[in-house]
Amino acid sequence: MKSNDWLHGFRHSSPYINTHRGRTVVLSISGDAIAHDNLINIIHDLTLLSSLGIRLVITFGARSQIQRRLDQAGESSRFHRGLRITGEGQLPLVLEAIGGLRSHLESQLSMGLVNSPMHNARIRVSSGNFVTARPVGVLDGVDFGYTGKVRRVDVEGIERLLELGHIVLVPPQGYSATGDVFNLSYEDVGSQVAAALQAEKLIIFTRHQGVLDEEGALVRELSARQASDRLAAGRLTGDDADLLRAACDACVKGVKRAHIISYAADGALLEELFTRDGSGTLVSGDTYEQIRAAGVEDIGGIMELIRPLEEQGVLVRRSREMLETEIDRFVVAERDGTVVGCAALYHFPDERAGELSCFAVDAAYRRAGRGDDILATVEQMARRQGIQRLFVLTTQTEHWFRERGFQPSTVQALPGPKLAAYNAQRNSKVFVKPL
């Protein structure tokens, strides 16, 4: 690692720091994550997020700890539809396990040892009866006893503590108006709390790097619809399906983004929040990446994007002045505030023709369909302008355009003004696509 890599990363994290400051982030941590050796690093990262002005709500699970406590007491565990059945005699043991974890998390968040990342942190942690619950009841003839579901979240109570700068801790238990207490699924608590608060993000920790595909490779991005389709197809099972379902439900209910990341990888939380591509899987309920008309504020990003291609001779050089006068012809693909693709459409109304020009995609984002999306956007623009044929001049990307319906043509077929400006030294090939 280069000695100044930290400096580069720190400087480039500032837009994300500014974006997240004052926003509410809900974290959902399983009992297995709390028992993992990497918990202390997660705690240090949470301390850093709090110091940066991010409003934190931590929901946690206690599944493995509950199981251990029941085993110690000689109590059998029964499950149905993936939920633990909580009998009246088992409820005190369940609450004991949850209470122990709550105290453990509070103690970890209260550390302030000299020479540690938490020295002088002075974090205030608050918890309480923020969740009203109802019993699951009887399903398929099975009585779930004191296993419940979230009914309502005390948004006002949580918000007051967040305004005071507290980290709010929400255990996997809820209360009813009758004074009963219920054992809740931490996935349900995390999703419902994030939705009720209309949180900026829901962060879910898992044993994997994120959501994995059938070959075990990380799936970096999913829309809420794609996540639902994946669940409906049965591609995930067990805890993996429960976590993705919680992320999807939160996004459908208004949470902007949900992230599924590893609890075992040191720094996964910071990487997910403060780098462009993150460390795990992003589930988005809105348009995380969009293709839109360009504005003058995009000129710097476009120049940075096309400069390497200009130096390689792939694109014709364009000055800032030229971009400023022609910016209304451009569309850009924006990913989390960064221009990762662009294209321009030049209209020749007398010939009802249009030129696709300055077509570029960041090297890190090719082979992911972004070029196709930009082309589709330009074709839609061309049709709206009455353009009947779209042409492109290229020196190195012939096959890409041919695979998308462009046919070889001749220089003489170019519109008059374009033919007059044709640079024979570049010897660009001409391809045309009827619209």
Side-chain angles (χ1 to χ4, degrees), residues 218-291:
L218 176 66
V219 179
R220 288 200 170 274
E221 303 168 27
L222 288 169
S223 67
R225 180 179 295 277
Q226 290 171 329
S228 295
D229 291 344
R230 187 173 288 264
L231 290 167
R235 297 180 187 176
L236 295 173
T237 58
D239 292 344
D240 295 333
D242 291 338
L243 294 178
L244 182 57
R245 187 173 295 108
C248 181
D249 289 347
C251 288
V252 169
K253 293 176 181 177
V255 177
K256 291 184 177 179
R257 298 174 188 172
H259 306 254
I260 301 176
I261 65 174
S262 169
Y263 60 69
D266 185 14
L269 176 59
L270 299 183
E271 185 179 353
E272 185 69 17
L273 291 180
F274 298 123
T275 65
R276 185 192 302 176
D277 294 321
S279 64
T281 299
L282 166 72
V283 180
S284 178
D286 59 5
T287 305
Y288 173 59
E289 182 172 320
Q290 60 175 330
I291 298 174

Side-chain angles (χ1 to χ4, degrees), residues 2 4 46 128 139 179 214 223 234 236 258 268 272 307 312 323 403 409-410:
K2 296 180 181 179
N4 63 346
L46 292 175
L139 294 175
E214 289 77 1
S223 67
L236 295 173
E272 185 69 17
R307 185 179 298 114
Q312 297 167 24
L323 286 172
E403 290 168 1
S409 188
T410 64

Side-chain angles (χ1 to χ4, degrees), residues 66 69 72 90-102 173:
I66 290 172
R69 186 66 188 92
Q72 290 172 349
Q90 296 177 330
L91 184 60
L93 301 174
V94 169
L95 298 180
E96 180 183 326
I98 293 173
L101 273 194
R102 173 178 162 179
Q173 62 190 49

Side-chain angles (χ1 to χ4, degrees), residues 19 24 43 50 59 69 81 83 109 114 143 206 213 245 250 275 296 336 357 372 375 394 398 423:
T19 296
T24 300
I43 294 293
S50 180
T59 66
R69 186 66 188 92
R81 293 193 180 187
L83 290 175
L109 288 165
V114 176
D143 187 350
T206 181
D213 64 16
R245 187 173 295 108
T275 65
V296 292
D336 213 19
S357 184
D372 291 294
L375 176 59
T394 181
E398 168 185 345
N423 185 348

Side-chain angles (χ1 to χ4, degrees), residues 298-320 323 330 339-342 358-363 366 426:
D298 298 308
I299 291 175
I302 293 173
M303 292 187 69
E304 185 176 348
L305 175 66
I306 66 177
R307 185 179 298 114
L309 298 175
E310 291 175 343
E311 292 171 351
Q312 297 167 24
V314 177
L315 294 178
V316 176
R317 289 188 180 273
R318 284 174 168 79
S319 65
R320 174 177 286 273
L323 286 172
F330 278 77
V339 174
V340 297
C342 70
C358 199
F359 191 5
V361 177
D362 190 305
R366 294 170 191 163
R426 281 183 59 82

Side-chain angles (χ1 to χ4, degrees), residues 35-327:
H36 196 273
D37 290 342
N38 194 51
L39 175 69
I40 187 60
N41 293 318
I42 295 175
I43 294 293
H44 291 163
D45 293 345
L46 292 175
T47 304
L48 175 59
L49 297 184
S50 180
S51 69
L52 292 174
I54 299 175
R55 296 151 43 107
L56 299 177
V57 179
I58 302 174
T59 66
F60 67 91
R63 214 158 278 159
S64 55
Q65 289 82 359
I66 290 172
Q67 186 62 54
R68 186 180 307 112
R69 186 66 188 92
L70 292 176
D71 291 342
Q72 290 172 349
E75 291 282 342
S76 61
S77 297
R78 293 190 300 139
F79 294 84
H80 185 65
R81 293 193 180 187
L83 290 175
R84 184 187 303 275
I85 298 168
T86 308
E88 184 175 0
Q90 296 177 330
L91 184 60
L93 301 174
V94 169
L95 298 180
E96 180 183 326
I98 293 173
L101 273 194
R102 173 178 162 179
S103 297
H104 177 62
L105 283 174
E106 288 176 346
S107 68
Q108 296 299 294
L109 288 165
S110 300
M111 287 193 303
L113 295 176
V114 176
N115 298 327
S116 80
M118 298 183 68
H119 183 52
N120 288 330
R122 297 180 182 175
I123 289 177
R124 292 179 175 84
V125 183
S126 296
S127 188
N129 57 339
F130 301 121
V131 176
T132 301
R134 64 173 179 82
V136 169
V138 179
L139 294 175
D140 306 322
V142 176
D143 187 350
F144 280 80
Y146 285 86
T147 297
K149 292 181 68 68
V150 176
R151 182 176 182 181
R152 186 171 60 253
V153 176
D154 181 7
V155 173
E156 183 180 354
I158 294 176
E159 287 285 356
R160 285 181 178 177
L161 291 171
L162 292 174
E163 289 295 329
L164 293 172
H166 293 211
I167 292 179
V168 178
L169 198 59
V170 183
Q173 62 190 49
Y175 305 87
S176 71
T178 59
D180 291 317
V181 59
F182 295 96
N183 177 24
L184 306 179
S185 157
Y186 83 96
E187 297 96 338
D188 185 37
V189 173
S191 180
Q192 297 292 340
V193 168
L197 294 172
Q198 290 293 280
E200 183 77 11
K201 294 179 181 293
L202 169 64
I203 308 285
I204 301 174
F205 289 89
T206 181
R207 64 186 185 279
H208 305 302
Q209 187 179 355
V211 175
L212 306 181
D213 64 16
E214 289 77 1
E215 278 109 36
L218 176 66
V219 179
R220 288 200 170 274
E221 303 168 27
L222 288 169
S223 67
R225 180 179 295 277
Q226 290 171 329
S228 295
D229 291 344
R230 187 173 288 264
L231 290 167
R235 297 180 187 176
L236 295 173
T237 58
D239 292 344
D240 295 333
D242 291 338
L243 294 178
L244 182 57
R245 187 173 295 108
C248 181
D249 289 347
C251 288
V252 169
K253 293 176 181 177
V255 177
K256 291 184 177 179
R257 298 174 188 172
H259 306 254
I260 301 176
I261 65 174
S262 169
Y263 60 69
D266 185 14
L269 176 59
L270 299 183
E271 185 179 353
E272 185 69 17
L273 291 180
F274 298 123
T275 65
R276 185 192 302 176
D277 294 321
S279 64
T281 299
L282 166 72
V283 180
S284 178
D286 59 5
T287 305
Y288 173 59
E289 182 172 320
Q290 60 175 330
I291 298 174
R292 57 171 175 78
V296 292
E297 68 278 4
D298 298 308
I299 291 175
I302 293 173
M303 292 187 69
E304 185 176 348
L305 175 66
I306 66 177
R307 185 179 298 114
L309 298 175
E310 291 175 343
E311 292 171 351
Q312 297 167 24
V314 177
L315 294 178
V316 176
R317 289 188 180 273
R318 284 174 168 79
S319 65
R320 174 177 286 273
E321 291 74 17
M322 179 182 290
L323 286 172
E324 288 176 349
T325 59
E326 298 181 349
I327 194 63

